[in-house]
Amino acid sequence: MPDKQTNNTLDTARARLEAALSSLAHGVAANRDALMRVEQKVQENTFLKAHIASLEQENLKLHEQVATLALTDTDAPDSRIQELEHQNAALEQNYQLLKNRYAALRDEFDSLQEKLSAPPTSQSDNADQELQSENNALKAKIADMEYEKNTIKAELDKTIQDLETMVETA
């Protein structure tokens, strides 16, 4: 019986020892996880501090730029606006001129189209060929004029946009 009692005592001690080792292993794993989380938080904190320092530097630069702009002479934008208004007026004139030239060419083209679509008369084949070549030349001129018109219109739109930007910022 003493052996049985010794075995029971040893089994009990072994069970307590295994429970203590298991608890210790869980504690070590929990501590390791907590340590990894702390390291991640430290890294995040370091990154955020660096990012905040960078933003503060950028903010300081922006404040300096605002101060510099506030102290600069305000006459410069007015001269730029006047220059843009002159450019705008010149572009408007060019645009109107091109519209008039386009309308004249379009009228001439339409009249030639009417002549070509009219029933054949006693005109010779030579006259028809001349009209056809003149028609083709007018088509080419019209295409060129449309291209110029679109180019000037784009420049005009850009100038107007520049003016609006200058007025908004002034």
Side-chain angles (χ1 to χ4, degrees):
M1 220 160 215
D3 274 341
K4 215 176 191 185
Q5 191 175 19
T6 306
N7 280 341
N8 281 341
T9 306
L10 285 175
D11 284 339
T12 304
R14 187 176 345 136
R16 283 192 329 216
L17 183 59
E18 286 176 357
L21 285 174
S22 174
S23 174
L24 183 62
H26 286 299
V28 167
N31 284 344
R32 190 176 306 138
D33 289 343
L35 182 61
M36 285 176 36
R37 284 193 302 271
V38 166
E39 287 176 359
Q40 285 177 340
K41 293 295 180 185
V42 167
Q43 287 176 351
E44 288 175 10
N45 192 15
T46 304
F47 172 76
L48 289 175
K49 283 181 180 178
H51 190 65
I52 287 171
S54 169
L55 289 174
E56 286 174 348
Q57 287 288 47
E58 183 69 23
N59 192 21
L60 182 62
K61 287 179 186 176
L62 290 173
H63 279 290
E64 289 174 357
Q65 288 177 353
V66 167
T68 302
L69 287 174
L71 296 175
T72 57
D73 187 18
T74 58
D75 291 338
D78 289 339
S79 64
R80 178 70 178 143
I81 289 174
Q82 288 176 348
E83 179 184 334
L84 288 173
E85 286 174 347
H86 289 300
Q87 287 178 356
N88 185 23
L91 288 173
E92 285 278 351
Q93 287 176 339
N94 285 342
Y95 181 68
Q96 289 300 325
L97 177 68
L98 285 175
K99 275 178 55 176
N100 293 339
R101 285 176 49 193
Y102 176 77
L105 286 173
R106 184 51 118 183
D107 291 342
E108 192 175 340
F109 175 75
D110 290 341
S111 68
L112 285 175
Q113 284 288 73
E114 288 176 12
K115 286 181 184 177
L116 288 176
S117 63
T121 58
S122 61
Q123 296 177 346
S124 66
D125 288 335
N126 244 356
D128 287 343
Q129 287 178 352
E130 286 177 20
L131 285 176
Q132 187 63 34
S133 66
E134 189 175 349
N135 188 16
N136 290 338
L138 286 173
K139 283 182 182 179
K141 280 184 182 180
I142 287 173
D144 289 342
M145 295 297 288
E146 285 178 349
Y147 176 77
E148 284 182 46
K149 179 182 85 171
N150 291 334
T151 303
I152 289 178
K153 186 174 186 217
E155 288 177 15
L156 181 62
D157 289 342
K158 183 183 179 304
T159 302
I160 290 170
Q161 186 179 18
D162 288 346
L163 274 171
E164 289 172 348
T165 303
M166 292 291 292
V167 168
E168 287 175 5
T169 59

